[in-house]
Amino acid sequence: MQTPSEFVREQVTTVRETVDRVAGSVAETVAAAPGVTVRATQVGNYIREQRSAARVSLRELARTAGVSNPYLSQVERGLRKPSAEILASIARGLKISAETLYEQAGILDRRSGNPDTMAAIRSDSALSERHKAVLLELYETYVREHAASTTPDSSRPTSGPSSVAQPPTKESARPPPRP
């Protein structure tokens, strides 16, 4: 004869197996559906990578982000496309920039610049989110300015004297002779 705890344990195991089997078939059906986008899968994979790198469990991240375990699992598998608000909550739980998740989800355009440099700024735990945002903005500005200075500008003359003002020389500093 089984004890009550053994009976409950056996029932729980049976229910879990059934739920896993049904969830697996539902996931396959949803993944095959045309509405599931590559972006949803991309952001889900990125969230899973960040969660693994931070050594945070799915349950712990769901709790800190204020979403359910099944929902977060579906996001990671690309079955759900989270809203910007949910992405911000997940970013707070992962202690990363919400902007990063917005870019992965396609909500925000990717910034110009070296992705490794940007990732290094975003992953620096010594910086606050505000400092990271400011550094990323400055970096992007420098990259844009550098790109603009290295590409030829059609408004500048290609030959002849330079259109850039030059400092006065001795000759140009003298007043013109009187008639």
Side-chain angles (χ1 to χ4, degrees):
M1 180 151 190
Q2 288 180 319
T3 64
S5 62
E6 289 172 340
F7 175 76
V8 170
R9 189 174 302 122
E10 184 180 312
Q11 293 300 310
V12 168
T13 303
T14 304
V15 169
R16 280 186 181 157
E17 289 170 354
T18 304
V19 169
D20 287 344
R21 188 176 65 253
V22 170
S25 70
V26 169
E28 289 170 7
T29 304
V30 173
V36 177
T37 64
V38 173
R39 284 281 190 192
T41 304
Q42 184 179 357
V43 73
N45 288 338
Y46 185 78
I47 290 169
R48 180 180 291 130
E49 289 169 6
Q50 293 300 309
R51 183 176 59 77
S52 296
R55 298 178 191 247
V56 176
S57 71
L58 181 78
R59 186 171 292 170
E60 187 179 343
L61 178 57
R63 184 179 48 77
T64 58
V67 297
S68 69
N69 290 350
Y71 180 79
L72 183 57
S73 175
Q74 290 170 349
V75 168
E76 285 189 353
R77 290 180 288 153
L79 303 177
R80 295 281 185 123
K81 186 175 180 185
S83 67
E85 185 178 319
I86 297 294
L87 287 172
S89 297
I90 292 171
R92 274 193 301 277
L94 290 171
K95 296 183 176 125
I96 63 172
S97 164
E99 179 183 56
T100 307
L101 290 183
Y102 294 157
E103 287 176 2
Q104 291 292 325
I107 295 172
L108 217 110
D109 288 337
R110 293 194 186 278
R111 293 178 170 234
S112 55
N114 184 331
D116 293 335
T117 303
M118 297 174 77
I121 292 170
R122 287 186 182 119
S123 66
D124 191 337
S125 60
L127 299 173
S128 70
E129 288 302 314
R130 183 169 180 267
H131 290 136
K132 289 176 188 178
V134 169
L135 282 172
L136 287 168
E137 186 66 32
L138 284 171
Y139 176 66
E140 184 181 79
T141 302
Y142 289 134
V143 168
R144 272 196 314 259
E145 287 178 2
H146 177 70
S149 70
T150 58
T151 58
D153 186 357
S154 60
S155 65
R156 291 185 184 163
T158 54
S159 62
S162 171
S163 61
V164 178
Q166 298 295 325
T169 61
K170 272 186 169 178
E171 302 281 321
S172 67
R174 290 186 191 159
R178 292 187 186 181

